[in-house]
C-alpha cells in the first residue's frame, strides 16, 4: 500500500487497527505499525490526527519491546533448563532428541 495516496484519517484508522490487532498475541503487528507510520507521526508537520497516531505508535513500540523481552527470557530459560525438565522439556521441543 502506498501511504502517499491515503488520507490522514485513513492512516489513523489503519494505525488503530494494527494497534488493536497486536493485542491478539500478534506483536509483529505492533512492530510493523511502529515502523510503517513512524515518519508520518513524528517527522511530518502537524495534522489533526497526529496526536492520536503518536499515542498508538508509542504504545505499539512499548508493547513490541515487552513481547521481545518476554520471548528472549523464555528462550534463555528453556535452553538452560530443557534437559532438567526431562519429558516436559522433550515434549516442548520440535525435534525430539533420541
Amino acid at each position: 500500500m502506498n501511504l502517499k495516496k491515503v488520507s490522514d484519517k485513513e492512516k489513523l484508522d489503519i494505525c488503530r487497527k494494527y494497534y488493536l490487532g497486536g493485542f491478539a498475541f500478534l506483536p509483529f503487528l505492533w512492530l510493523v505499525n511502529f515502523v510503517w507510520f513512524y515518519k508520518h507521526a513524528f517527522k511530518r508537520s502537524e495534522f489533526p490526527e497526529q496526536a492520536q497516531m503518536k499515542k498508538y505508535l508509542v504504545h505499539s513500540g512499548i508493547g513490541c519491546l515487552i513481547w521481545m523481552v518476554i520471548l528472549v527470557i523464555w528462550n534463555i530459560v528453556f535452553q538452560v533448563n530443557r534437559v532438567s525438565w526431562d519429558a516436559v522439556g522433550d515434549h516442548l521441543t520440535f525435534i525430539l532428541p533420541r
Side-chain angles (χ1 to χ4, degrees), residues 2-98:
N2 188 357
L3 289 178
K4 293 177 185 176
K5 296 179 181 179
V6 179
S7 71
D8 290 334
K9 204 172 264 285
E10 289 173 311
K11 287 178 193 172
L12 178 63
D13 188 47
I14 294 168
C15 183
R16 181 179 173 275
K17 286 178 184 176
Y18 276 45
Y19 170 70
L20 293 175
F23 285 107
F25 299 106
L26 301 170
F28 183 69
L29 277 180
W30 282 334
L31 178 64
V32 169
N33 193 25
F34 187 82
V35 170
W36 205 12
F37 289 105
Y38 180 80
K39 285 183 183 177
H40 299 285
F42 294 103
K43 303 280 185 178
R44 238 180 84 186
S45 58
E46 291 287 326
F47 58 96
E49 294 84 5
Q50 190 172 23
Q52 196 164 8
M53 189 179 283
K54 282 183 181 180
K55 183 181 88 170
Y56 289 140
L57 291 183
V58 168
H59 290 149
S60 292
I62 291 170
C64 184
L65 283 175
I66 289 171
W67 265 100
M68 296 280 274
V69 168
I70 289 170
L71 290 175
V72 167
I73 289 172
W74 165 247
N75 193 4
I76 291 169
V77 167
F78 181 75
Q79 295 295 329
V80 169
N81 296 315
R82 185 188 67 79
V83 174
S84 65
W85 290 346
D86 294 327
V88 174
D90 289 342
H91 287 295
L92 289 174
T93 57
F94 288 112
I95 301 172
L96 296 176
R98 293 182 188 207

